[in-house]
Amino acid sequence: MNALEPGDATVAPVDLPVEELPGQDGVLGPVHRALSIGIVSVVLLIAFEATAVGTAMPVAARELDGIPLYAFAFSSYFTTSLFAMVLSGQWADRNGPLAPLTTGISAFAAGLLLSGTAGTMALFILGRAVQGLGGGLVIVALYVTISRAYPERLRPAIMASFAASWVIPSVVGPLASGTVTEHLGWRWVFLGIPVLVVLPLALALPAIRRMASGPADSSGPAPGFDRRRIRLALGISLGAALLQYAAQDLRPLSVLPAVGGIVFLVPAVLGLLPPGTWRAVRGLPAVILLRGVAAGSFIAAESFVPLMLVTQRGLSPTMAGLSLAVGGLTWALGSYIQSRPRLEPHRVRLMTGGMVLVAAAIATAPTVLIQSVPVWIVGVAWGVGCLGMGLVLASTSVLLLKLSAPEEAGLNSAALQISDGLSNVLMLAVGGAAFAALGGGSVGGHAVSTATGSHPAAFAAVFLPMAAVALVGVWVATRVRPVRT
């Protein structure tokens, strides 16, 4: 595989043929079938946890007398996952993805069990932190697995499968979680999910051991762990936690943790992401920046859509949530479209168009603040935006692996996931602070403590800046191809 060093904008990758020849193996062919089903099952597990646990979380916090600490149940997951992503990248490059993936799935299940049996909110938050460690280890290890086990022509298809695996959990997860929480109790939502770990372990691990184990370069000594990057990973996690804390409490003293968060974050981000990322240098840096711009702007805006529909248009929480359900289908459709071999030469145009769709969706959503605008406009707009996200996010994953040498797949995959996760944290913090400052209420993670009386201007202060960020992403998308020589 042709690869670029981080920040190198002068070497172009060789465009390999992507048409699949008759008789060649596909993602569900004999060679890759067990591995494909196994790793997609891992993604399905993570997707179901993300959609189901969020539904049970408010009940858990109330029963544990932990409403004031509610936001930390989300932020603890995000902050530990940022550290785990860096660790997983180095671990996978050094020894192969099998060990971090196995450890990650085990930690993910252990965190669910700890939260499900917690007697205090502190133990519940600790369980969520352990889950974050597991999730961070798993996602990067999966990328390294794909880079080693799948030829370049099959990677768009397996990335599309990842997106498709979110469709069923996005629809079934909240309903199933709500039913279990109501009839059996919230603890069974956390205690039941670890059972799903058995299938991914049984299918994926033997195939990974056979097809992707060991260091990328087996002829030389395994590289050691970069202690400096580990320290930077701790800094980025601590900085993100401090910024989230400051955004949830707008008192003057909150400036202190905010400044502390910036002090930790800036050197950590500069050290962990490829040089030139913030300048959108052509090639790999632009790919990693685009991932953060797209994910952060869209997810931050999406977090406020149900609340806007409930407080401003009088929808029930269930109907407000269902207004976004079509997004899972269109997201998978976008990922499927980018996976078509005939569209490979047009990938940059697909990504640019996808960011246009994302920006248009975010800008359109707050039009329902005008009472004469029908509510269904939000559902249509979000379906269009999710189509764009499917085109963009799957494409960034495909390009990242194309531009990464085998021995750097873990390092660069960790940078991509850090850009994604950190952007979500920062955009939610900025959007939540603007929302609260304009009378919207206090925002923490995925929950808003003030569910009524929010001022329409508070919602506009979230959506319009996020639409502007997405428009910046349109420009960044034009720079993901390295300069050809």
Side-chain angles (χ1 to χ4, degrees):
M1 182 193 308
N2 188 277
L4 295 177
E5 294 295 327
D8 186 353
T10 60
V11 182
V14 177
D15 287 328
L16 300 178
V18 295
E19 291 291 348
E20 193 167 319
L21 299 177
Q24 286 186 322
D25 182 49
V27 294
L28 291 179
V31 174
H32 293 96
R33 183 182 298 128
L35 179 61
S36 297
I37 295 175
I39 62 176
V40 168
S41 297
V42 173
V43 177
L44 186 70
L45 168 67
I46 294 174
F48 189 78
E49 184 275 341
T51 55
V53 166
T55 304
M57 199 82 76
V59 180
R62 185 166 58 247
E63 184 175 312
L64 295 173
D65 296 323
I67 294 297
L69 300 175
Y70 182 84
F72 292 100
F74 291 99
S75 62
S76 61
Y77 182 100
F78 290 131
T79 53
T80 56
S81 66
L82 288 172
F83 169 75
M85 290 169 188
V86 177
L87 178 62
S88 182
Q90 293 197 42
W91 196 354
D93 283 341
R94 184 177 187 272
N95 300 113
L98 184 61
L101 183 63
T102 305
T103 305
I105 294 178
S106 301
F108 192 79
L112 285 165
L113 292 175
L114 182 56
S115 291
T117 57
T120 65
M121 193 62 179
L123 284 176
F124 183 86
I125 292 172
L126 177 61
R128 292 288 292 164
V130 174
Q131 276 183 257
L133 285 171
L137 289 172
V138 166
I139 190 63
V140 174
L142 288 178
Y143 273 70
V144 177
T145 299
I146 293 170
S147 74
R148 295 191 182 190
Y150 292 85
E152 188 174 315
R153 62 185 173 80
L154 294 182
R155 291 173 190 165
I158 193 64
M159 291 300 178
S161 300
F162 279 13
S165 66
W166 278 81
V167 174
I168 294 177
S170 67
V171 176
V172 176
L175 296 176
S177 177
T179 301
V180 171
T181 300
E182 181 178 349
H183 294 286
L184 298 178
W186 64 268
R187 294 183 185 276
W188 286 104
V189 175
F190 290 85
L191 297 176
I193 293 177
V195 177
L196 302 177
V197 169
V198 176
L199 177 62
L201 286 175
L203 289 174
L205 298 187
I208 293 174
R209 183 179 292 108
R210 184 178 68 255
M211 302 174 69
S213 61
D217 183 8
S218 58
S219 62
F225 284 98
D226 187 337
R227 295 182 180 180
R228 174 179 172 273
R229 292 184 67 85
I230 297 297
R231 289 194 296 270
L232 292 175
L234 289 172
I236 204 171
S237 296
L238 181 57
L242 289 172
L243 281 180
Q244 289 177 85
Y245 177 82
Q248 294 160 22
D249 186 1
L250 295 182
R251 294 178 301 176
L253 286 178
S254 298
V255 174
L256 296 178
V259 171
I262 293 172
V263 169
F264 280 108
L265 270 180
V266 171
V269 169
L270 293 177
L272 291 173
L273 299 186
T277 297
W278 299 112
R279 295 182 287 112
V281 168
R282 288 187 177 276
L284 185 63
V287 171
I288 290 175
L289 178 61
L290 179 62
R291 179 60 164 255
V293 168
S297 60
F298 191 78
I299 298 303
E302 185 179 59
S303 298
F304 289 86
V305 170
L307 181 70
M308 179 174 64
L309 295 177
V310 170
T311 62
Q312 303 301 310
R313 298 303 297 264
L315 269 66
S316 68
T318 300
M319 289 302 298
L322 289 176
S323 68
L324 304 179
V326 69
L329 295 173
T330 57
W331 193 309
L333 176 62
S335 295
Y336 172 79
I337 291 172
Q338 66 79 37
S339 73
R340 298 298 83 199
R342 289 182 177 84
L343 294 178
E344 176 62 28
H346 309 289
R347 185 171 296 281
V348 174
R349 293 182 182 178
L350 290 176
M351 298 172 76
T352 305
M355 286 308 304
V356 171
L357 296 180
V358 170
I362 298 174
T364 301
T367 60
V368 296
L369 294 170
I370 304 172
Q371 293 298 314
S372 59
V373 175
V375 173
W376 55 261
I377 288 293
V378 171
V380 173
W382 226 247
V384 170
C386 286
L387 175 66
M389 288 293 286
L391 292 170
V392 173
L393 262 62
S395 290
T396 59
S397 300
V398 170
L399 283 178
L400 175 107
L401 296 178
K402 185 175 183 178
L403 300 176
S404 298
E407 66 274 10
E408 294 177 342
L411 183 73
N412 293 337
S413 296
L416 187 77
Q417 295 303 321
I418 288 172
S419 179
D420 187 321
L422 182 60
S423 181
N424 286 340
V425 170
L426 295 179
M427 294 296 180
L428 279 169
V430 171
F435 183 78
L438 291 179
S442 176
V443 180
H446 294 268
V448 179
S449 60
T450 303
T452 58
S454 301
H455 196 281
F459 290 101
V462 174
F463 286 98
L464 297 183
M466 295 305 155
V469 172
L471 283 176
V472 173
V474 175
W475 170 74
V476 176
T478 66
R479 300 178 60 80
V480 296
R481 288 281 193 201
V483 175
R484 294 185 181 275
T485 56

